[in-house]
Amino acid sequence: MKKIILTLAVTMVCAITAVAQDWQTDFTIAKDIASKEHKPIILVFQGSDWCGPCIKLDREIWSTDTFKKYANKNYVMLQADFPKRKKNALPEAQTKANANLAETYNKNGIFPFVVILNAKGEVLGETSYKKTTPENYIKELNVFTK
């Protein structure tokens, strides 16, 4: 009986891990992964605790199983979050790193803002929140990567 319960627990953990979104927060690491795995980087500028369209983009696209499964195989996901509430504050080093990314890739301070990059950090395309399906959003991102 213990073996059965253990097997079920391991299976559940593996199933959850298989669809977990692996967000990077370090640009250097994201570029290294993108280079090694020959994948584009999807850089997302968001205000996770104050930006309505950012929250919708997360709920309607990033958090869906469809997108997560596709992204894990095809993209390196990089998040630059700019929370406003003190309880959600990022470490100072991360706040500075995100600000540096914004100086380079989001000079107009648009939220949400999605930048598609190659492994060298060169811009391939840009988009934002759209009321659409995960499948159609993937098609839009892929226009920049093919």
Side-chain angles (χ1 to χ4, degrees):
M1 184 67 171
K2 287 182 182 179
K3 285 184 179 182
I4 292 171
I5 292 172
L6 181 61
T7 302
L8 287 173
V10 169
T11 303
M12 288 175 50
V13 168
C14 290
I16 290 169
T17 304
V19 295
Q21 187 76 335
D22 188 16
W23 287 94
Q24 299 299 317
T25 57
D26 183 300
F27 189 41
T28 302
I29 292 172
K31 288 193 299 184
D32 286 346
I33 294 168
S35 180
K36 288 175 188 168
E37 298 181 7
H38 307 287
K39 295 178 181 178
I41 299 167
I42 307 298
L43 169 57
V44 180
F45 290 94
Q46 68 178 25
S48 63
D49 65 1
W50 60 270
C51 170
C54 300
I55 294 165
K56 284 183 177 183
L57 184 58
D58 182 56
R59 187 180 321 124
E60 296 171 9
I61 305 297
W62 310 139
S63 294
T64 66
D65 287 343
T66 299
F67 187 84
K68 289 189 280 190
K69 286 176 187 175
Y70 189 85
N72 283 337
K73 293 179 184 173
N74 297 282
Y75 306 134
V76 175
M77 300 299 293
L78 176 63
Q79 183 181 75
D81 194 14
F82 293 82
K84 289 188 177 179
R85 295 186 184 132
K86 284 185 181 183
K87 70 177 185 172
N88 299 329
L90 301 173
E92 187 175 332
Q94 188 65 55
T95 299
K96 186 174 181 177
N98 290 354
N100 288 338
L101 281 172
E103 284 178 27
T104 303
Y105 296 107
N106 191 4
K107 292 179 182 178
N108 294 324
I110 299 168
F111 291 90
F113 191 55
V114 180
V115 184
I116 300 85
L117 306 166
N118 65 18
K120 296 177 184 176
E122 299 165 337
V123 176
L124 302 174
E126 301 170 343
T127 190
S128 190
Y129 171 75
K130 292 182 174 61
K131 180 75 174 157
T132 189
T133 64
E135 294 84 0
N136 286 337
Y137 206 85
I138 289 166
K139 286 179 187 174
E140 180 177 345
L141 294 175
N142 285 343
V143 165
F144 302 115
T145 63
K146 301 298 176 195

